[in-house]
């Protein structure tokens, strides 16, 4: 089965069985992203706009590669959180806005070396950030001797925003992870 669509879903997006979801548009969802089959991101943007905790997950360990992942919503406290239950990739841009991406013990891989691939709000008390525990982290590919931005911190009890600017010593291809 092949599904090509753009649109807004009031609940989950669940790609199941042998389905293929693809398209270069914008996908809006207010609950969980569940990928158990094939998602071909193309030049698409996936916006998670729900006001409750949302998951990026799979029932069979299928890893999703997003082109642009845009985290929005108006939920507060735990409901600011978008949570991974497995590793995931972003090939274009990760737009945190004022949301918290909780990787738990997993990795969010940013596979483009673009310096501007990760953005967030820096308004005090409403910062967008990546929070992790254990071996979880934010990973970025680099190819420039310029500062790469890692908006990390903690969001378990008290929000702690601790941005990291990492400047590689050369323009050789490299990968860095921060938590």
């Amino acid at each position: 089965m092949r599904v090509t669509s753009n649109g807004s879903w009031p609940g989950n997006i669940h790609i199941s069985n042998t389905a293929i979801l693809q398209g270069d548009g914008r996908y809006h969802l207010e609950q969980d992203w569940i990928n158990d089959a094939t998602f071909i991101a193309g030049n698409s943007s996936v916006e998670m706009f729900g006001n409750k905790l949302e998951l990026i997950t799979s029932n069979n360990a299928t890893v999703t590669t997003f082109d642009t992942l845009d985290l929005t919503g108006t939920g507060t406290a735990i409901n600011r959180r978008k949570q991974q239950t497995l590793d995931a990739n972003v090939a274009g841009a990760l737009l945190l806005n004022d949301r918290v991406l909780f990787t738990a013990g997993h990795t969010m891989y940013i596979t483009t070396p673009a310096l501007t691939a990760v953005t967030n709000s820096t308004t005090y008390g409403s910062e967008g950030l990546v929070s992790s525990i254990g071996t979880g982290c934010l990973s970025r590919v680099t190819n420039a001797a310029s500062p790469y931005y890692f908006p990390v911190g903690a969001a378990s009890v008290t929000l702690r925003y601790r941005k990291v600017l990492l400047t590689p010593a050369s323009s050789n291809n490299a990968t860095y992870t921060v938590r």
Side-chain angles (χ1 to χ4, degrees), residues 68-138:
T68 298
L69 180 59
D70 188 2
L71 308 181
T72 66
T74 59
T76 60
I78 189 79
N79 293 322
R80 283 182 63 194
R81 186 182 284 184
K82 315 302 181 183
Q83 181 171 329
Q84 290 177 233
T85 65
L86 69 166
D87 291 352
N89 305 305
V90 171
L94 174 61
L95 311 174
L96 295 165
N97 299 297
D98 65 349
R99 304 290 91 188
V100 173
L101 175 62
F102 181 60
T103 69
H106 305 285
T107 302
M108 176 55 77
Y109 294 94
I110 309 303
T111 60
T112 176
L115 293 170
T116 58
V118 179
T119 63
N120 70 320
S121 168
T122 57
T123 301
Y124 179 76
S126 296
E127 297 93 349
L129 58 92
V130 176
S131 178
S132 304
I133 57 173
T135 58
C137 61
L138 175 61

Side-chain angles (χ1 to χ4, degrees), residues 3 26 40-41 51 95 119 169 179:
V3 177
R26 190 161 174 88
I40 301 170
N51 297 321
L95 311 174
T119 63
R179 178 174 89 77

Side-chain angles (χ1 to χ4, degrees), residues 7-175:
S8 191
W9 283 266
N12 298 328
I13 289 182
H14 186 184
I15 310 166
S16 61
N17 301 320
T18 59
I20 298 172
L21 178 62
Q22 67 181 21
D24 291 340
R26 190 161 174 88
Y27 298 88
H28 304 270
L29 72 146
E30 74 173 340
Q31 291 179 11
D32 300 336
W33 175 273
I34 308 162
N35 184 3
D36 294 332
T38 302
F39 174 63
I40 301 170
N43 292 315
S44 68
S45 176
V46 173
E47 178 187 9
M48 299 182 81
F49 69 89
N51 297 321
K52 302 271 185 206
L53 171 70
E54 292 176 280
L55 300 177
I56 299 169
T57 191
S58 174
N59 296 308
N60 62 9
T62 299
V63 174
T64 296
T65 297
F66 299 98
D67 182 63
T68 298
L69 180 59
D70 188 2
L71 308 181
T72 66
T74 59
T76 60
I78 189 79
N79 293 322
R80 283 182 63 194
R81 186 182 284 184
K82 315 302 181 183
Q83 181 171 329
Q84 290 177 233
T85 65
L86 69 166
D87 291 352
N89 305 305
V90 171
L94 174 61
L95 311 174
L96 295 165
N97 299 297
D98 65 349
R99 304 290 91 188
V100 173
L101 175 62
F102 181 60
T103 69
H106 305 285
T107 302
M108 176 55 77
Y109 294 94
I110 309 303
T111 60
T112 176
L115 293 170
T116 58
V118 179
T119 63
N120 70 320
S121 168
T122 57
T123 301
Y124 179 76
S126 296
E127 297 93 349
L129 58 92
V130 176
S131 178
S132 304
I133 57 173
T135 58
C137 61
L138 175 61
S139 173
R140 293 198 65 180
V141 172
T142 65
N143 70 355
S146 299
Y148 282 84
Y149 181 52
F150 292 79
V152 294
S156 56
V157 177
T158 302
L159 182 71
R160 288 183 209 93
Y161 173 62
R162 302 290 187 256
K163 74 177 181 182
V164 173
L165 287 174
L166 187 144
T167 303
S170 75
S171 59
N172 295 335
N173 291 334
T175 301

